[in-house]
Amino acid sequence: MFKLRSERIRMHLQVSILVVVLCLMGLAVPWIVTSYRDYQQAKHTVLELQALVAMSNFSEAMLAERLPSNRLNHSPQDSQLKYQLQLQQYRNYVDLKLQRTIHALQIAGFDEIADKARRQTVPALLQARTSFDNYVKQPRAERKIEQLNEEIQKLFTVWDQVNALLKQTLIASHAYGHDTTNHYAMILITCDLQDDASRIVSYIKAPLTFNQPINEQQISQTLQTYNRSKYLWNLIANIQPNQERNLEFEHLHRRIETDFLAPSQLMIATVLQESKTGQSYSYSSQQVTELAVNNFTVIFDLQRYILNKRLEIVETRKHDTQQVFIFSCLVAMVCLLALLFTFFYARYQVFLPLILARNMLLDLIDPECKRVLNNSLTIIDAIEKMKETLKQRDALAFQLKNLANTDALTGVSNRVALEEYLNLKAYQEQPFEHTALIVLDIDNFKQVNDQYGHLVGDDVIRHIAEQLKANVRNSDLVVRYGGDEFLVILENCASGAALYIADQMRCAISHTPVNVEGHPSLYVSVSAGVAVGADSWKALLDKADQSLLRVKASGKNAVEGNT
């Protein structure tokens, strides 16, 4: 009997240790798997951003190809071989950039985009180059302005493909998330800005080359593109977070103005004036091409700066997640070894002597002691009962709090809930700067009570509350402020949106009959005053009340705002 009890306890201890080991593994394995997945995701994000950087570098190189192309186009007959060699060397450089970009896309998992670049961009680039070479081979006297415009358009067809692939890569990237919205938005904007920088010159390049007047369509396109460039330049500054406005960003942003916008504006104004007056152009085709290359170079500098900044963040994240993964593996291994050591040590140095002592005590135990042990088991029942009682008390407290904060008639918040809301807002700086308040009052409510009775009046108030709740967001607060007066508080809401919501509530109330037995066609209306933004709650409420008073004075069943 003694041996039987000892073996049973020993088996229970072994099972318990096994359960602990399994629990440890159950905790450690998800942690290890999660940290490994985070590390792999950060590693993949680095590859995606490297692919974006490669595409940006290729885009810049491809657009810059127009500079040696233009030199060949305007070179004398005896210098064409020299410029052809220079152009071919640069084309080899662009092709290498393209192949590296395709390779980077494949490594990052953008197989479909890489396949598009291989099947569409490569042939389109080759076709544009072949067409340009055929154009250059023609004697200068036989070249026509329409042909040059066509060659320029073919180049932009390739650029449009590359730009589209860059945007597709950006959207498909796993690196895109809530913390990267500003970075990637600026990358998209810089893509459009690069496109504008290239097109500004393309619209007037052919007339400059052939010394012909610029037509109205080209003038319009040039001015529109320049104005859009200036707008995009301002937009970049507006969406850049303040915490990321360092000296390097400011310098790159300012260079776009000094190296692109200002020279482009001067060139456009000069060329258009000279075209209008029939004067000889001050700018040659070669000069405007060099200006264009310089233009999009400074824009690419800003784009690469944004990409590299994001790449630095992701590289840091990759390093951190790698450290977490290694740490999780080490912690799990140390814990497992410590547990195994504890198991063997406890088994032979602690539990076996205790088992022996327990068996000896059980042999010596008397009936009174056994009765006490059996009674001690009821403590668990008492603890469980206490836990159940505490749960019931918490549930009751929660119900009482809800009852205290809720209007009994309508189910919306009451003044107590409003006071709690205002107490929370008191800890914020400028708490009501972007808060919209709608004050609604039931029109002619006294007449409803006098004509139909107070029970119907209560149904009308409930009807109003239901319509208000149906037309607001879950985050908005609807408060029954008085007998027939309601407040609707909207956070982060512009004045136009607040007026629209208030009018939507008014229309829903006035066009929906009150569900009252015996009065199926009972309709009521409300007047609403709207205020957006104030220094304090009192000021915001006063502004909304003033709007409501003006509505009441002007005929009711309307909405008026005070911003």
Side-chain angles (χ1 to χ4, degrees), residues 280-332:
S280 297
Y281 292 116
S282 303
Y283 290 84
S284 66
S285 177
Q286 182 70 17
Q287 287 176 320
V288 296
T289 301
E290 292 178 356
L291 175 63
V293 172
N294 184 58
N295 286 348
F296 58 69
T297 296
V298 297
I299 300 170
F300 272 108
D301 289 341
L302 178 61
Q303 186 182 84
R304 275 195 298 271
Y305 166 77
I306 298 168
L307 280 170
N308 289 332
K309 277 295 180 183
R310 187 63 201 166
L311 187 58
E312 289 177 8
I313 295 172
V314 177
E315 287 279 8
T316 303
R317 185 180 300 170
K318 173 188 172 183
H319 177 267
D320 293 342
T321 54
Q322 184 183 31
Q323 295 298 316
V324 171
F325 170 63
I326 295 174
F327 178 74
S328 64
C329 292
L330 290 176
V331 168

Side-chain angles (χ1 to χ4, degrees), residues 218-315:
Q218 292 169 329
I219 293 174
S220 176
Q221 290 173 329
T222 302
L223 294 176
Q224 288 177 0
T225 306
Y226 174 79
N227 290 332
R228 195 171 82 114
S229 300
K230 196 167 185 180
Y231 167 77
L232 293 175
W233 176 74
N234 288 318
L235 185 61
I236 290 175
N238 291 332
I239 67 174
Q240 175 74 351
N242 291 329
Q243 64 272 18
E244 298 182 12
R245 287 179 173 273
N246 53 29
L247 293 177
E248 187 174 2
F249 170 81
E250 295 291 347
H251 172 68
L252 292 171
H253 187 256
R254 188 164 53 250
R255 276 190 61 201
I256 294 177
E257 180 184 25
T258 58
D259 296 359
F260 164 39
L261 294 175
S264 296
Q265 184 180 23
L266 177 61
M267 182 270 293
I268 292 170
T270 302
V271 170
L272 294 185
Q273 178 63 27
E274 291 171 347
S275 174
K276 181 179 179 181
T277 58
Q279 301 177 26
S280 297
Y281 292 116
S282 303
Y283 290 84
S284 66
S285 177
Q286 182 70 17
Q287 287 176 320
V288 296
T289 301
E290 292 178 356
L291 175 63
V293 172
N294 184 58
N295 286 348
F296 58 69
T297 296
V298 297
I299 300 170
F300 272 108
D301 289 341
L302 178 61
Q303 186 182 84
R304 275 195 298 271
Y305 166 77
I306 298 168
L307 280 170
N308 289 332
K309 277 295 180 183
R310 187 63 201 166
L311 187 58
E312 289 177 8
I313 295 172
V314 177
E315 287 279 8

Side-chain angles (χ1 to χ4, degrees), residues 187-214:
I187 294 171
L188 291 173
I189 292 172
T190 53
C191 288
D192 292 336
L193 196 56
Q194 293 157 10
D195 184 65
D196 290 344
S198 301
R199 294 184 188 274
I200 286 175
V201 173
S202 68
Y203 295 133
I204 61 176
K205 180 178 178 180
L208 290 179
T209 302
F210 289 88
N211 197 27
Q212 293 185 10
I214 305 172

